[in-house]
Amino acid sequence: MLFLVGLGLADEADITVKGLEVVKRAERVYLEAYTSILHVGKERLESFYGRPIIVADREMVESASNEILDGADKLDIAFLVVGDPFGATTHTDLVLRAQELSIPTKSIPNASILNAIGATGLQLYNFGQTVSMVFFTETWKPASFYDRIRENVSIGLHTLVLLDIKVKEQSLENMARGRKIYEPPRYMTVAQCAQQMLEIEEEKKESVYSEDSLAIGCARVGADDQRFACGTLKELCDVDLGPPLHSLVLLGKRAHELERDYIKSFAMDQKTFEQSWEKYHRRS
């Protein structure tokens, strides 16, 4: 059987008991290493699990999945995923490939950013569509996220923005020349996300959000050193929340007073927070 095992968000100890049992008896153990990262290295996982781990990069998962699935009709294979197994569509695709080969599959769920974001104090019922923010380039500034945020804003819901990570990426030149040379890892920060959001608003000029819109910058959610900073998008353009991974939540107008009472402790500036709340979130 192919087991997809969720690892949770922070370190080696976040795996569930059921997931750990699968890992300990599996013939091979793969770690998906490009849609997200833990805050500890492969060596810490191997020490805790007592098993060697094969790192599965994007190329292996998307182009060489047969290597992962080899023998899974007769043996147990564990595929480890940071967060929850189905937090990325790539893993759904892997299950479908296994099913085409008549390989049984089972998933072991765990915490993901989609539910752990409740640590901000915002109510999960008040979230709309989750969107992703990629690194802009001089010639490529995709803005599909803007339309999804507009839809959330129109019904007053919060928007969780997941930030880009670049792991084992090739430059265009190296890719064109077929050279297996990879760029250093890059992880988008809350400040970069806020800057790009305002850049797109400046281009669109549709007032979906503004410099004064309240948002929460989140860093290392689920870890012992998780951090939150609540401020306007303009304020968040200059925030430093430390190492990755980061995410951002744009507050919706339906925010409840209980949510306000909780998130104000994260406010970068209490006066600005109160002013923005009164302007955008006070209920009539």
Side-chain angles (χ1 to χ4, degrees), residues 5 22 30 50 60 76 143 182 187 216 226 232 247 263 271 276:
V5 180
V22 168
Y30 294 90
M60 174 183 284
D76 286 342
Y182 302 100
Y187 307 96
I216 302 177
Q226 70 180 8
T232 64
S247 53
I263 66 176
K271 182 178 180 180
S276 295

Side-chain angles (χ1 to χ4, degrees), residues 1-181:
M1 181 174 286
L2 173 69
F3 289 89
L4 280 76
V5 180
L7 295 182
L9 293 171
D11 56 38
E12 71 276 15
D14 283 349
I15 192 170
T16 64
V17 173
K18 185 179 292 185
L20 185 57
E21 290 174 346
V22 168
V23 170
K24 286 185 175 296
R25 71 170 184 263
E27 181 71 17
R28 298 192 306 277
V29 181
Y30 294 90
L31 172 63
E32 186 266 270
Y34 64 92
T35 59
S36 189
I37 59 166
L38 288 176
H39 302 151
V40 296
K42 178 172 78 82
E43 295 74 17
R44 281 270 293 273
L45 300 184
E46 291 178 325
S47 175
F48 188 80
Y49 302 155
R51 297 297 313 282
I53 292 174
I54 303 166
V55 174
D57 59 18
R58 181 187 297 272
E59 184 177 355
M60 174 183 284
V61 177
E62 296 184 349
S63 303
S65 61
N66 288 341
E67 181 179 337
I68 297 172
L69 299 175
D70 183 39
D73 55 336
K74 303 179 181 67
L75 305 165
D76 286 342
I77 306 299
F79 185 77
L80 311 183
V81 181
V82 177
D84 186 80
F86 292 111
T89 55
T90 295
H91 311 132
T92 304
D93 185 59
L94 183 63
V95 169
L96 292 174
R97 295 184 200 183
Q99 291 175 349
E100 289 175 357
L101 298 171
S102 299
I103 295 171
T105 63
K106 184 175 182 179
S107 66
I108 311 296
N110 208 324
S112 77
I113 189 63
L114 298 178
N115 52 38
I117 199 65
T120 57
L122 299 177
Q123 298 170 6
L124 295 180
Y125 292 116
N126 286 339
F127 279 79
Q129 302 169 86
T130 299
V131 302
S132 297
M133 177 71 70
V134 302
F135 283 108
F136 287 176
T137 69
E138 289 297 323
T139 58
W140 188 62
K141 299 180 181 181
S144 58
F145 71 87
Y146 189 82
D147 295 330
R148 303 288 79 78
I149 291 179
R150 181 197 295 111
E151 293 169 3
N152 290 345
V153 167
S154 70
I155 51 177
L157 297 179
H158 309 313
T159 301
L160 171 61
V161 186
L162 303 180
L163 310 192
D164 200 4
I165 69 173
K166 298 290 187 185
V167 179
K168 204 175 181 182
E169 297 279 339
Q170 291 176 280
S171 68
L172 292 177
E173 179 182 356
N174 286 327
M175 190 180 300
R177 296 177 180 272
R179 297 185 297 209
K180 297 293 185 179
I181 300 174

